[in-house]
């Protein structure tokens, strides 16, 4: 039960981005059903890796997040295969975020 709740929370947290069947990493197209080795070859190791433990009714899952060229790409992996990808634009540098530098 706890696994289902964690998985649902993870999907909701990343669900705000643009949903896609596939994403480009350089000249490589990554999509649902691709092996994890293909993702690593195309994109390298993720900038962020989250693991969700499985239970009797839910398989374990990894969520790989990459930040590239003002976009965030999230890849969900179950049993060594891509089950979902999402991509969202990030704010351009200097926009949408406040600086931590004090003035005056």
């Amino acid at each position: 039960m706890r696994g289902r709740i964690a998985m649902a929370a993870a999907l909701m947290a990343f669900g705000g981005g643009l949903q896609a069947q596939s994403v480009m990493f350089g000249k490589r197209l990554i999509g649902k059903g691709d092996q994890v080795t293909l993702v690593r070859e195309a994109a390298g190791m993720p900038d962020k890796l989250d693991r969700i433990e499985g239970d009797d009714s839910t398989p374990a899952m990894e969520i790989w997040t990459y930040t590239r060229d003002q976009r965030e790409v999230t890849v969900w992996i179950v049993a060594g295969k891509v089950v979902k990808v999402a991509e969202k634009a990030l704010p351009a540098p200097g926009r949408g975020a406040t600086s931590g530098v004090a003035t005056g």
Side-chain angles (χ1 to χ4, degrees):
M1 182 64 140
R2 191 176 341 156
R4 282 186 180 183
I5 293 169
M7 184 178 299
L11 290 174
M12 286 189 294
F14 290 99
L18 175 64
Q19 303 303 313
Q21 291 295 319
S22 58
V23 294
M24 292 293 292
F25 280 105
K27 295 182 179 184
R28 305 279 298 269
L29 188 65
I30 301 298
K32 188 175 179 179
D34 285 338
Q35 294 289 328
V36 69
T37 53
L38 182 62
V39 178
R40 263 198 220 110
E41 288 172 8
M45 290 304 294
D47 298 311
K48 181 180 176 190
L49 191 150
D50 294 302
R51 289 187 173 94
I52 299 172
E53 297 297 321
D55 60 22
D56 292 338
S57 61
T58 307
M61 178 187 335
E62 290 187 347
I63 303 169
W64 294 13
T65 305
Y66 296 89
T67 304
R68 304 281 194 274
D69 303 322
Q70 270 93 46
R71 67 187 179 123
E72 182 178 85
V73 177
T74 305
V75 181
W76 286 263
I77 298 168
V78 174
K81 290 188 178 184
V82 174
V83 295
K84 181 178 177 181
V85 295
E87 183 176 7
K88 72 177 180 179
L90 297 174
R95 295 183 177 242
T98 57
S99 172
V101 177
T103 58

